[in-house]
Amino acid sequence: QVQLGESGGGLVQAGGSPRLSCSASGGTINDYAMGWFRQAPGKERRFVAAIAWSGGKTVYADSVKGRFTISRDNAKMTGYLQMNSLKTEDTAVYYCGADRDILRLEINDPEYWGQGAQVTVSS
């Protein structure tokens, strides 16, 4: 079983560039694709970005392409979401997820979920 935990959330300024981290433990996490998702108030949870286990393939939702960058450090068993030029519309609970099949991440259905981290963007 893979355990995931997000960190790096909180209150940030519009235009800021925070980085979220997703620490993994258990299983063979480096064999898994990892991804990020978000759920804004009153909205459904949506796919944000995913990265293959090797880091060689990344996929982004159109809403964040060009602003957010997903990466991972397999030695640290940690994934990252670098968020740039934040907007108030980015306010959401951000979740990380993992699955052996990156397609499962793209369709918002990974095998493993983190608990989520609140990101609130203020003007």
Side-chain angles (χ1 to χ4, degrees):
Q1 186 173 0
V2 174
Q3 304 290 124
L4 303 173
E6 301 91 343
S7 62
L11 179 64
V12 298
Q13 297 291 322
S17 301
R19 185 180 70 168
L20 299 181
S21 298
C22 176
S23 297
S25 62
T28 309
I29 189 60
N30 293 342
D31 291 341
Y32 288 76
M34 300 182 69
W36 290 92
F37 312 81
R38 65 185 182 183
Q39 187 169 18
K43 307 291 185 180
E44 70 274 15
R45 184 153 55 188
R46 302 291 297 273
F47 168 79
V48 173
I51 185 168
W53 70 267
S54 67
K57 177 183 179 181
T58 57
V59 184
Y60 295 93
D62 289 341
S63 59
V64 304
K65 191 175 299 182
R67 290 195 300 128
F68 292 7
T69 302
I70 189 170
S71 62
R72 64 190 297 166
D73 185 338
N74 286 346
K76 296 182 178 180
M77 299 182 66
T78 302
Y80 304 96
L81 184 68
Q82 178 66 58
M83 302 184 290
N84 297 321
S85 301
L86 279 186
K87 309 171 182 179
T88 56
E89 293 79 15
D90 294 316
T91 294
V93 177
Y94 283 73
Y95 300 86
C96 63
D99 199 286
R100 291 187 181 274
D101 186 356
I102 194 170
L103 182 63
R104 291 279 301 278
L105 300 173
E106 296 182 51
I107 64 172
N108 200 33
D109 189 31
E111 179 70 20
Y112 301 103
W113 288 102
Q115 293 296 108
Q118 178 71 47
V119 175
T120 302
V121 183
S122 63
S123 299

